[in-house]
Amino acid sequence: MAPALPRLLVTRRLPKATESRLGKTYQARLNADDHPMSDAEILDAAADSDALLITSMDKGFATGIIAKLPPSVKIIATVSVGYEHVDIAAARERNIAVTNTPDVLTNATADIAVLLMLGAARGAHWGARMVREDRWNSWSLTEPLGLDVTGRRLGILGMGRIGQAVAKRAQAFDMELHYHNRRPVAPDLAFGARYHAKLDDMLPYCDFLSINCASTPETRGIVNERLIAKMPHGAIIVNSARGDIIDDDALIGALKSGKLAAAGLDVFRNEPKIDSRYRSLDNVFLLPHLGSATHDTRIAMGMRAADNLDAFFAGRRPQDLLT
Ligand code: DGY
């Protein structure tokens, strides 16, 4: 008799191709209506599960769920590159493996960072609104006007895979590139960007600041009033990483005072329940966490998570093991 397939709890819907693959190799318990599951519901559904497939919206894995998981759970595969929502130390303590899905979403997320820069600088949101609301009455040489991206200076906070892909794209806009990272990256990965060991030292060069670092205890709230004050007047901040890297009071204050000309935000603290003050600011270009949201990328993320699970249950080391 063939051994029983591992039992897998999947907390959110995945693209069809991934769900049907998982259905063949696991006893998969899927979330058919894709509702966000509460911690209690996850714990209840996880009873007897061997594996959990989760997303970055399952925040409870950073705040206590892991200690309460049944002993049957051996691996947690998050369908995300970010893993701040998983308490890795707690998982190690329980001897539960954790994997993520790097690489496959790099290009899609870097594309969104560029969209944020262009959208914020050129006022794509108010332009689109004017057309949709039938308020576009005449073409004018003087209003509304945005700001150029081409030829300006861009500082990249976090020069991992996504930061590097942003730098590569920014070269096409003839931008002068700067970056801050814990360590310098190899010159061929920097795309001509100048390294600043201290974030403070990079900020005066940032006509644009693109946030591309992970959310960690060191980076949470790092973009605050003091740092924004060091940027040139009329600068633009874009965030395609995690919302909690920005101090919202500081950003909103700077957008209101004109210290910052604009911001482009794809991610928010407590999303989707975002700070409602952003909605009333005309100089913010807002997107609903679309970084990795393309058909191909979401399939690739699901497949990468499935590859990690398959490797684990075949007794091999998953390529994206974090524990
Ligand atoms: C990621 O992969 O971390 C994306 O932000 C989606 O959660």
Side-chain angles (χ1 to χ4, degrees):
M1 207 169 71
L5 299 174
R7 284 157 303 199
L8 172 69
L9 169 66
V10 182
T11 62
R12 296 299 298 268
R13 284 221 71 171
L14 294 163
K16 251 195 181 72
T18 317
E19 287 193 347
S20 73
R21 168 176 166 179
L22 292 171
K24 290 184 190 124
T25 38
Y26 297 90
Q27 298 179 57
R29 178 166 183 170
L30 304 176
N31 180 348
D33 64 6
D34 199 29
H35 68 282
M37 294 172 78
S38 68
D39 292 0
E41 193 180 359
I42 289 175
L43 281 171
D44 192 44
D48 294 332
S49 291
D50 298 296
L52 310 180
L53 199 87
I54 69 166
T55 76
S56 59
M57 294 298 124
D58 296 315
K59 307 285 185 205
F61 287 84
T63 56
I65 279 196
I66 291 181
K68 297 183 194 146
L69 286 173
S72 56
V73 174
K74 301 164 194 73
I75 179 167
I76 299 169
T78 179
V79 187
S80 60
V81 63
Y83 53 88
E84 75 291 339
H85 57 288
V86 183
D87 183 343
I88 299 290
R92 276 199 194 109
E93 208 162 291
R94 294 277 320 265
N95 203 22
I96 296 174
V98 180
T99 61
N100 67 339
T101 59
D103 297 324
V104 288
L105 45 63
T106 299
N107 287 328
T109 308
D111 291 350
I112 283 285
V114 174
L115 176 62
L116 292 175
M117 286 202 285
L118 290 168
R122 302 297 300 271
H125 48 299
W126 43 252
R129 233 178 18 241
M130 264 176 84
V131 179
R132 283 185 184 279
E133 293 170 4
D134 198 11
R135 289 187 289 104
W136 183 31
N137 302 319
S138 73
W139 183 88
S140 161
L141 277 169
T142 55
E143 63 179 72
L145 300 179
L147 294 165
D148 282 310
V149 172
T150 299
R152 308 286 297 282
R153 298 169 299 177
L154 167 66
I156 298 173
L157 169 54
M159 198 62 156
R161 302 171 189 85
I162 297 170
Q164 292 164 25
V166 171
K168 184 177 177 185
R169 284 156 175 71
Q171 277 189 324
F173 291 91
D174 294 329
M175 297 187 92
E176 179 187 304
L177 300 178
H178 299 260
Y179 76 98
H180 168 72
N181 203 43
R182 271 173 305 178
R183 282 176 293 279
V185 299
D188 60 318
L189 301 178
F191 296 94
R194 176 173 149 203
Y195 178 60
H196 298 266
K198 288 194 185 136
L199 175 56
D200 280 39
D201 294 344
M202 179 175 82
L203 294 167
Y205 297 95
C206 295
D207 298 324
F208 287 79
L209 174 68
S210 175
I211 301 175
N212 298 107
C213 56
S215 166
T216 65
E218 292 74 40
T219 62
R220 273 170 217 142
I222 194 174
V223 177
N224 58 21
E225 197 177 340
R226 190 186 70 77
L227 288 191
I228 292 173
K230 289 183 180 276
M231 296 177 70
H233 188 82
I236 292 178
I237 293 180
V238 301
N239 190 3
S240 55
R242 284 293 184 262
D244 59 7
I245 294 163
I246 287 179
D247 172 337
D248 290 319
D249 287 340
L251 180 61
I252 289 165
L255 287 165
K256 282 186 172 164
S257 73
K259 166 68 187 173
L260 292 175
L265 306 176
D266 186 44
V267 287
F268 304 84
R269 191 185 295 269
N270 299 329
E271 62 184 55
K273 298 204 181 320
I274 73 167
D275 188 321
S276 60
R277 291 175 294 173
Y278 284 120
R279 294 200 179 92
S280 56
L281 290 174
D282 225 22
N283 52 351
V284 226
F285 178 58
L286 304 169
L287 293 176
H289 202 147
L290 295 183
S292 61
T294 72
H295 291 286
D296 289 345
T297 299
R298 286 286 162 81
I299 289 172
M301 290 167 74
M303 294 303 186
R304 182 96 172 205
D307 289 345
N308 284 321
L309 290 172
D310 290 355
F312 180 84
F313 286 107
R316 289 181 277 113
R317 183 187 164 82
Q319 64 179 329
D320 304 313
L321 188 65
L322 299 165
T323 37

